[in-house]
Amino acid sequence: MIKFRAWDNECKVIREYDELKGLTLDALDASDFKIEQFTGLTDVNGKEIYIGDIVKVWSDMSELTMEPTVNEIVSEDLLGRPGVFLNPAGPHLIDPCLHESWNNQFEVIGNVHENPELLEE
């Protein structure tokens, strides 16, 4: 399902699609809103994962016992290719693609608008 949410730059809150009903994407002025798409995935707690979310990621199938890394969900990789990728907070060479088989390894811990400090190392 294609869904969106929007960061409201004026009120400094995330607006869910239901709050935006009746508005077209054209009506959402780019200077006032940042549109973010739902990835189609949920985290370990059932929370929907959107572009712009910050997630903890466990790197293997060890039932979340390994130390997680912190990543931002982005809409293109370092080479500019479109998709849904994990942009690591630390120094890494590639942005791994977000993949449905990994969805039990993610936990949404914030978003880039309200919690940018989570990406600082």
Side-chain angles (χ1 to χ4, degrees), residues 40-53:
L41 303 175
T42 56
D43 75 354
V44 295
N45 300 310
K47 185 172 179 155
E48 294 178 341
I49 302 173
Y50 282 82
I51 302 294
D53 278 339

Side-chain angles (χ1 to χ4, degrees), residues 9-54:
N9 285 317
E10 184 177 328
C11 296
K12 305 293 185 214
V13 296
I14 289 181
R15 303 283 184 195
E16 298 301 327
Y17 179 76
D18 289 346
E19 296 176 68
L20 302 171
K21 222 178 263 184
L23 296 176
T24 64
L25 291 179
D26 291 337
L28 297 173
D29 185 331
S31 65
D32 293 335
F33 293 94
K34 168 100 171 102
I35 306 301
E36 299 168 332
Q37 187 172 351
F38 174 48
T39 65
L41 303 175
T42 56
D43 75 354
V44 295
N45 300 310
K47 185 172 179 155
E48 294 178 341
I49 302 173
Y50 282 82
I51 302 294
D53 278 339
I54 299 171

Side-chain angles (χ1 to χ4, degrees), residues 21-89:
K21 222 178 263 184
L23 296 176
T24 64
L25 291 179
D26 291 337
L28 297 173
D29 185 331
S31 65
D32 293 335
F33 293 94
K34 168 100 171 102
I35 306 301
E36 299 168 332
Q37 187 172 351
F38 174 48
T39 65
L41 303 175
T42 56
D43 75 354
V44 295
N45 300 310
K47 185 172 179 155
E48 294 178 341
I49 302 173
Y50 282 82
I51 302 294
D53 278 339
I54 299 171
V55 295
K56 281 187 183 178
V57 180
W58 286 265
S59 62
D60 74 352
M61 301 302 280
S62 63
E63 296 185 3
L64 311 181
T65 58
M66 291 189 63
E67 190 68 27
T69 60
V70 174
N71 296 260
E72 175 186 354
I73 305 295
V74 295
S75 60
E76 61 183 41
D77 68 5
L78 290 172
L79 302 175
R81 293 177 296 198
V84 179
F85 298 91
L86 296 166
N87 186 10

Side-chain angles (χ1 to χ4, degrees), residues 76-111:
E76 61 183 41
D77 68 5
L78 290 172
L79 302 175
R81 293 177 296 198
V84 179
F85 298 91
L86 296 166
N87 186 10
H92 296 279
L93 296 176
I94 60 168
D95 292 351
C97 184
L98 191 67
H99 188 273
E100 187 171 13
S101 67
W102 297 349
N103 71 340
N104 63 349
Q105 296 181 334
F106 300 113
E107 180 181 12
V108 175
I109 59 171
N111 64 67

